[in-house]
PDB file of all heavy atoms in Angstrom:
ATOM      1  N   ARG A 249     -17.443  -1.193 -18.938  1.00  0.00           N
ATOM      2  CA  ARG A 249     -17.261  -2.263 -17.959  1.00  0.00           C
ATOM      3  C   ARG A 249     -15.788  -2.557 -17.711  1.00  0.00           C
ATOM      4  O   ARG A 249     -15.369  -2.805 -16.572  1.00  0.00           O
ATOM      5  CB  ARG A 249     -17.973  -3.533 -18.405  1.00  0.00           C
ATOM      6  CG  ARG A 249     -17.934  -4.641 -17.340  1.00  0.00           C
ATOM      7  CD  ARG A 249     -18.456  -5.961 -17.880  1.00  0.00           C
ATOM      8  NE  ARG A 249     -19.850  -5.845 -18.305  1.00  0.00           N
ATOM      9  CZ  ARG A 249     -20.476  -6.762 -19.015  1.00  0.00           C
ATOM     10  NH1 ARG A 249     -19.821  -7.849 -19.402  1.00  0.00           N
ATOM     11  NH2 ARG A 249     -21.737  -6.594 -19.364  1.00  0.00           N
ATOM     12  N   THR A 250     -14.986  -2.531 -18.759  1.00  0.00           N
ATOM     13  CA  THR A 250     -13.560  -2.847 -18.587  1.00  0.00           C
ATOM     14  C   THR A 250     -12.875  -1.846 -17.661  1.00  0.00           C
ATOM     15  O   THR A 250     -12.018  -2.219 -16.858  1.00  0.00           O
ATOM     16  CB  THR A 250     -12.838  -2.870 -19.943  1.00  0.00           C
ATOM     17  OG1 THR A 250     -13.080  -1.631 -20.639  1.00  0.00           O
ATOM     18  CG2 THR A 250     -13.305  -4.039 -20.790  1.00  0.00           C
ATOM     19  N   ALA A 251     -13.243  -0.568 -17.783  1.00  0.00           N
ATOM     20  CA  ALA A 251     -12.627   0.454 -16.932  1.00  0.00           C
ATOM     21  C   ALA A 251     -13.037   0.265 -15.478  1.00  0.00           C
ATOM     22  O   ALA A 251     -12.205   0.356 -14.559  1.00  0.00           O
ATOM     23  CB  ALA A 251     -13.019   1.842 -17.418  1.00  0.00           C
ATOM     24  N   LEU A 252     -14.323  -0.022 -15.241  1.00  0.00           N
ATOM     25  CA  LEU A 252     -14.776  -0.222 -13.871  1.00  0.00           C
ATOM     26  C   LEU A 252     -14.200  -1.520 -13.300  1.00  0.00           C
ATOM     27  O   LEU A 252     -13.922  -1.608 -12.103  1.00  0.00           O
ATOM     28  CB  LEU A 252     -16.306  -0.251 -13.815  1.00  0.00           C
ATOM     29  CG  LEU A 252     -16.917  -0.282 -12.408  1.00  0.00           C
ATOM     30  CD1 LEU A 252     -16.419   0.900 -11.572  1.00  0.00           C
ATOM     31  CD2 LEU A 252     -18.440  -0.278 -12.475  1.00  0.00           C
ATOM     32  N   THR A 253     -13.977  -2.499 -14.146  1.00  0.00           N
ATOM     33  CA  THR A 253     -13.331  -3.732 -13.696  1.00  0.00           C
ATOM     34  C   THR A 253     -11.926  -3.438 -13.183  1.00  0.00           C
ATOM     35  O   THR A 253     -11.513  -3.946 -12.135  1.00  0.00           O
ATOM     36  CB  THR A 253     -13.255  -4.760 -14.848  1.00  0.00           C
ATOM     37  OG1 THR A 253     -14.587  -5.141 -15.225  1.00  0.00           O
ATOM     38  CG2 THR A 253     -12.477  -6.001 -14.437  1.00  0.00           C
ATOM     39  N   GLY A 254     -11.182  -2.621 -13.923  1.00  0.00           N
ATOM     40  CA  GLY A 254      -9.844  -2.247 -13.487  1.00  0.00           C
ATOM     41  C   GLY A 254      -9.866  -1.504 -12.168  1.00  0.00           C
ATOM     42  O   GLY A 254      -9.030  -1.743 -11.286  1.00  0.00           O
ATOM     43  N   MET A 255     -10.825  -0.595 -12.020  1.00  0.00           N
ATOM     44  CA  MET A 255     -10.965   0.142 -10.765  1.00  0.00           C
ATOM     45  C   MET A 255     -11.297  -0.809  -9.626  1.00  0.00           C
ATOM     46  O   MET A 255     -10.710  -0.747  -8.539  1.00  0.00           O
ATOM     47  CB  MET A 255     -12.067   1.198 -10.905  1.00  0.00           C
ATOM     48  CG  MET A 255     -12.432   1.898  -9.596  1.00  0.00           C
ATOM     49  SD  MET A 255     -11.096   2.913  -8.949  1.00  0.00           S
ATOM     50  CE  MET A 255     -11.181   4.268 -10.137  1.00  0.00           C
ATOM     51  N   GLY A 256     -12.262  -1.710  -9.866  1.00  0.00           N
ATOM     52  CA  GLY A 256     -12.648  -2.661  -8.833  1.00  0.00           C
ATOM     53  C   GLY A 256     -11.492  -3.562  -8.424  1.00  0.00           C
ATOM     54  O   GLY A 256     -11.294  -3.840  -7.232  1.00  0.00           O
ATOM     55  N   PHE A 257     -10.722  -4.016  -9.405  1.00  0.00           N
ATOM     56  CA  PHE A 257      -9.545  -4.849  -9.139  1.00  0.00           C
ATOM     57  C   PHE A 257      -8.560  -4.104  -8.236  1.00  0.00           C
ATOM     58  O   PHE A 257      -8.077  -4.646  -7.232  1.00  0.00           O
ATOM     59  CB  PHE A 257      -8.880  -5.223 -10.459  1.00  0.00           C
ATOM     60  CG  PHE A 257      -7.518  -5.842 -10.322  1.00  0.00           C
ATOM     61  CD1 PHE A 257      -7.377  -7.190 -10.045  1.00  0.00           C
ATOM     62  CD2 PHE A 257      -6.371  -5.069 -10.467  1.00  0.00           C
ATOM     63  CE1 PHE A 257      -6.114  -7.766  -9.927  1.00  0.00           C
ATOM     64  CE2 PHE A 257      -5.110  -5.630 -10.346  1.00  0.00           C
ATOM     65  CZ  PHE A 257      -4.985  -6.984 -10.070  1.00  0.00           C
ATOM     66  N   LEU A 258      -8.276  -2.856  -8.584  1.00  0.00           N
ATOM     67  CA  LEU A 258      -7.315  -2.062  -7.816  1.00  0.00           C
ATOM     68  C   LEU A 258      -7.790  -1.866  -6.384  1.00  0.00           C
ATOM     69  O   LEU A 258      -7.027  -2.053  -5.429  1.00  0.00           O
ATOM     70  CB  LEU A 258      -7.114  -0.707  -8.500  1.00  0.00           C
ATOM     71  CG  LEU A 258      -6.173   0.283  -7.808  1.00  0.00           C
ATOM     72  CD1 LEU A 258      -4.757  -0.276  -7.764  1.00  0.00           C
ATOM     73  CD2 LEU A 258      -6.188   1.616  -8.533  1.00  0.00           C
ATOM     74  N   LEU A 259      -9.061  -1.485  -6.214  1.00  0.00           N
ATOM     75  CA  LEU A 259      -9.580  -1.226  -4.876  1.00  0.00           C
ATOM     76  C   LEU A 259      -9.653  -2.503  -4.048  1.00  0.00           C
ATOM     77  O   LEU A 259      -9.377  -2.482  -2.841  1.00  0.00           O
ATOM     78  CB  LEU A 259     -10.960  -0.575  -4.969  1.00  0.00           C
ATOM     79  CG  LEU A 259     -10.994   0.835  -5.581  1.00  0.00           C
ATOM     80  CD1 LEU A 259     -12.429   1.328  -5.688  1.00  0.00           C
ATOM     81  CD2 LEU A 259     -10.164   1.811  -4.752  1.00  0.00           C
ATOM     82  N   LEU A 260     -10.022  -3.607  -4.669  1.00  0.00           N
ATOM     83  CA  LEU A 260     -10.141  -4.866  -3.943  1.00  0.00           C
ATOM     84  C   LEU A 260      -8.777  -5.338  -3.433  1.00  0.00           C
ATOM     85  O   LEU A 260      -8.628  -5.691  -2.261  1.00  0.00           O
ATOM     86  CB  LEU A 260     -10.764  -5.940  -4.837  1.00  0.00           C
ATOM     87  CG  LEU A 260     -10.990  -7.309  -4.198  1.00  0.00           C
ATOM     88  CD1 LEU A 260     -12.008  -7.219  -3.063  1.00  0.00           C
ATOM     89  CD2 LEU A 260     -11.451  -8.321  -5.248  1.00  0.00           C
ATOM     90  N   VAL A 261      -7.787  -5.323  -4.307  1.00  0.00           N
ATOM     91  CA  VAL A 261      -6.456  -5.810  -3.933  1.00  0.00           C
ATOM     92  C   VAL A 261      -5.776  -4.859  -2.951  1.00  0.00           C
ATOM     93  O   VAL A 261      -5.332  -5.267  -1.871  1.00  0.00           O
ATOM     94  CB  VAL A 261      -5.576  -6.018  -5.183  1.00  0.00           C
ATOM     95  CG1 VAL A 261      -4.150  -6.356  -4.778  1.00  0.00           C
ATOM     96  CG2 VAL A 261      -6.157  -7.132  -6.054  1.00  0.00           C
ATOM     97  N   ALA A 262      -5.712  -3.569  -3.334  1.00  0.00           N
ATOM     98  CA  ALA A 262      -5.032  -2.597  -2.477  1.00  0.00           C
ATOM     99  C   ALA A 262      -5.805  -2.351  -1.187  1.00  0.00           C
ATOM    100  O   ALA A 262      -5.216  -2.064  -0.144  1.00  0.00           O
ATOM    101  CB  ALA A 262      -4.843  -1.281  -3.229  1.00  0.00           C
ATOM    102  N   GLY A 263      -7.142  -2.471  -1.254  1.00  0.00           N
ATOM    103  CA  GLY A 263      -7.974  -2.126  -0.119  1.00  0.00           C
ATOM    104  C   GLY A 263      -7.888  -3.093   1.044  1.00  0.00           C
ATOM    105  O   GLY A 263      -8.269  -2.739   2.160  1.00  0.00           O
ATOM    106  N   HIS A 264      -7.414  -4.295   0.819  1.00  0.00           N
ATOM    107  CA  HIS A 264      -7.297  -5.211   1.957  1.00  0.00           C
ATOM    108  C   HIS A 264      -5.849  -5.574   2.269  1.00  0.00           C
ATOM    109  O   HIS A 264      -5.473  -5.677   3.435  1.00  0.00           O
ATOM    110  CB  HIS A 264      -8.127  -6.486   1.729  1.00  0.00           C
ATOM    111  CG  HIS A 264      -7.514  -7.490   0.817  1.00  0.00           C
ATOM    112  ND1 HIS A 264      -7.647  -7.441  -0.541  1.00  0.00           N
ATOM    113  CD2 HIS A 264      -6.754  -8.590   1.084  1.00  0.00           C
ATOM    114  CE1 HIS A 264      -7.002  -8.466  -1.077  1.00  0.00           C
ATOM    115  NE2 HIS A 264      -6.451  -9.175  -0.123  1.00  0.00           N
ATOM    116  N   GLU A 265      -5.014  -5.718   1.255  1.00  0.00           N
ATOM    117  CA  GLU A 265      -3.658  -6.215   1.478  1.00  0.00           C
ATOM    118  C   GLU A 265      -2.794  -5.202   2.237  1.00  0.00           C
ATOM    119  O   GLU A 265      -2.042  -5.569   3.148  1.00  0.00           O
ATOM    120  CB  GLU A 265      -3.018  -6.563   0.129  1.00  0.00           C
ATOM    121  CG  GLU A 265      -1.659  -7.230   0.243  1.00  0.00           C
ATOM    122  CD  GLU A 265      -1.719  -8.636   0.817  1.00  0.00           C
ATOM    123  OE1 GLU A 265      -2.746  -9.310   0.638  1.00  0.00           O
ATOM    124  OE2 GLU A 265      -0.741  -9.055   1.453  1.00  0.00           O
ATOM    125  N   THR A 266      -2.896  -3.928   1.885  1.00  0.00           N
ATOM    126  CA  THR A 266      -2.053  -2.918   2.521  1.00  0.00           C
ATOM    127  C   THR A 266      -2.416  -2.727   3.986  1.00  0.00           C
ATOM    128  O   THR A 266      -1.555  -2.772   4.865  1.00  0.00           O
ATOM    129  CB  THR A 266      -2.171  -1.580   1.773  1.00  0.00           C
ATOM    130  OG1 THR A 266      -3.562  -1.260   1.625  1.00  0.00           O
ATOM    131  CG2 THR A 266      -1.533  -1.661   0.403  1.00  0.00           C
ATOM    132  N   THR A 267      -3.689  -2.506   4.264  1.00  0.00           N
ATOM    133  CA  THR A 267      -4.107  -2.268   5.641  1.00  0.00           C
ATOM    134  C   THR A 267      -3.876  -3.498   6.510  1.00  0.00           C
ATOM    135  O   THR A 267      -3.482  -3.378   7.682  1.00  0.00           O
ATOM    136  CB  THR A 267      -5.583  -1.853   5.689  1.00  0.00           C
ATOM    137  OG1 THR A 267      -5.788  -0.728   4.822  1.00  0.00           O
ATOM    138  CG2 THR A 267      -6.007  -1.461   7.091  1.00  0.00           C
ATOM    139  N   ALA A 268      -4.106  -4.669   5.967  1.00  0.00           N
ATOM    140  CA  ALA A 268      -3.870  -5.901   6.729  1.00  0.00           C
ATOM    141  C   ALA A 268      -2.422  -5.984   7.202  1.00  0.00           C
ATOM    142  O   ALA A 268      -2.149  -6.304   8.376  1.00  0.00           O
ATOM    143  CB  ALA A 268      -4.215  -7.119   5.867  1.00  0.00           C
ATOM    144  N   ASN A 269      -1.496  -5.684   6.330  1.00  0.00           N
ATOM    145  CA  ASN A 269      -0.080  -5.747   6.715  1.00  0.00           C
ATOM    146  C   ASN A 269       0.290  -4.658   7.715  1.00  0.00           C
ATOM    147  O   ASN A 269       1.115  -4.878   8.610  1.00  0.00           O
ATOM    148  CB  ASN A 269       0.796  -5.660   5.466  1.00  0.00           C
ATOM    149  CG  ASN A 269       0.785  -6.949   4.668  1.00  0.00           C
ATOM    150  OD1 ASN A 269       1.004  -8.026   5.207  1.00  0.00           O
ATOM    151  ND2 ASN A 269       0.505  -6.861   3.378  1.00  0.00           N
ATOM    152  N   MET A 270      -0.322  -3.478   7.582  1.00  0.00           N
ATOM    153  CA  MET A 270      -0.049  -2.417   8.550  1.00  0.00           C
ATOM    154  C   MET A 270      -0.578  -2.774   9.932  1.00  0.00           C
ATOM    155  O   MET A 270       0.052  -2.449  10.951  1.00  0.00           O
ATOM    156  CB  MET A 270      -0.661  -1.098   8.069  1.00  0.00           C
ATOM    157  CG  MET A 270       0.188  -0.321   7.080  1.00  0.00           C
ATOM    158  SD  MET A 270       1.887   0.027   7.678  1.00  0.00           S
ATOM    159  CE  MET A 270       1.549   0.822   9.256  1.00  0.00           C
ATOM    160  N   ILE A 271      -1.712  -3.443  10.009  1.00  0.00           N
ATOM    161  CA  ILE A 271      -2.236  -3.872  11.317  1.00  0.00           C
ATOM    162  C   ILE A 271      -1.242  -4.816  11.984  1.00  0.00           C
ATOM    163  O   ILE A 271      -0.893  -4.655  13.164  1.00  0.00           O
ATOM    164  CB  ILE A 271      -3.612  -4.550  11.155  1.00  0.00           C
ATOM    165  CG1 ILE A 271      -4.675  -3.523  10.743  1.00  0.00           C
ATOM    166  CG2 ILE A 271      -4.027  -5.235  12.467  1.00  0.00           C
ATOM    167  CD1 ILE A 271      -6.007  -4.146  10.360  1.00  0.00           C
ATOM    168  N   SER A 272      -0.762  -5.800  11.234  1.00  0.00           N
ATOM    169  CA  SER A 272       0.161  -6.793  11.801  1.00  0.00           C
ATOM    170  C   SER A 272       1.484  -6.176  12.220  1.00  0.00           C
ATOM    171  O   SER A 272       1.963  -6.384  13.348  1.00  0.00           O
ATOM    172  CB  SER A 272       0.403  -7.912  10.783  1.00  0.00           C
ATOM    173  OG  SER A 272      -0.792  -8.595  10.474  1.00  0.00           O
ATOM    174  N   LEU A 273       2.085  -5.422  11.331  1.00  0.00           N
ATOM    175  CA  LEU A 273       3.385  -4.816  11.631  1.00  0.00           C
ATOM    176  C   LEU A 273       3.297  -3.853  12.806  1.00  0.00           C
ATOM    177  O   LEU A 273       4.165  -3.827  13.686  1.00  0.00           O
ATOM    178  CB  LEU A 273       3.922  -4.087  10.396  1.00  0.00           C
ATOM    179  CG  LEU A 273       4.350  -4.962   9.220  1.00  0.00           C
ATOM    180  CD1 LEU A 273       4.600  -4.110   7.982  1.00  0.00           C
ATOM    181  CD2 LEU A 273       5.602  -5.772   9.562  1.00  0.00           C
ATOM    182  N   SER A 274       2.255  -3.040  12.821  1.00  0.00           N
ATOM    183  CA  SER A 274       2.100  -2.054  13.895  1.00  0.00           C
ATOM    184  C   SER A 274       1.872  -2.738  15.235  1.00  0.00           C
ATOM    185  O   SER A 274       2.372  -2.265  16.271  1.00  0.00           O
ATOM    186  CB  SER A 274       0.937  -1.108  13.579  1.00  0.00           C
ATOM    187  OG  SER A 274       1.157  -0.409  12.380  1.00  0.00           O
ATOM    188  N   THR A 275       1.134  -3.838  15.237  1.00  0.00           N
ATOM    189  CA  THR A 275       0.933  -4.577  16.479  1.00  0.00           C
ATOM    190  C   THR A 275       2.260  -5.067  17.040  1.00  0.00           C
ATOM    191  O   THR A 275       2.531  -4.947  18.243  1.00  0.00           O
ATOM    192  CB  THR A 275      -0.017  -5.768  16.245  1.00  0.00           C
ATOM    193  OG1 THR A 275      -1.297  -5.274  15.814  1.00  0.00           O
ATOM    194  CG2 THR A 275      -0.195  -6.582  17.516  1.00  0.00           C
ATOM    195  N   VAL A 276       3.106  -5.596  16.166  1.00  0.00           N
ATOM    196  CA  VAL A 276       4.439  -6.032  16.609  1.00  0.00           C
ATOM    197  C   VAL A 276       5.224  -4.843  17.166  1.00  0.00           C
ATOM    198  O   VAL A 276       5.856  -4.935  18.226  1.00  0.00           O
ATOM    199  CB  VAL A 276       5.216  -6.683  15.448  1.00  0.00           C
ATOM    200  CG1 VAL A 276       6.655  -6.997  15.868  1.00  0.00           C
ATOM    201  CG2 VAL A 276       4.523  -7.949  14.983  1.00  0.00           C
TER     202      VAL A 276
END
Side-chain angles (χ1 to χ4, degrees):
R249 186 189 299 168
T250 54
L252 187 56
T253 296
M255 172 66 73
F257 168 82
L258 178 64
L259 294 177
L260 182 64
V261 173
H264 78 275
E265 186 69 29
T266 51
T267 306
N269 286 309
M270 277 305 306
I271 291 171
S272 298
L273 291 169
S274 300
T275 298
V276 174

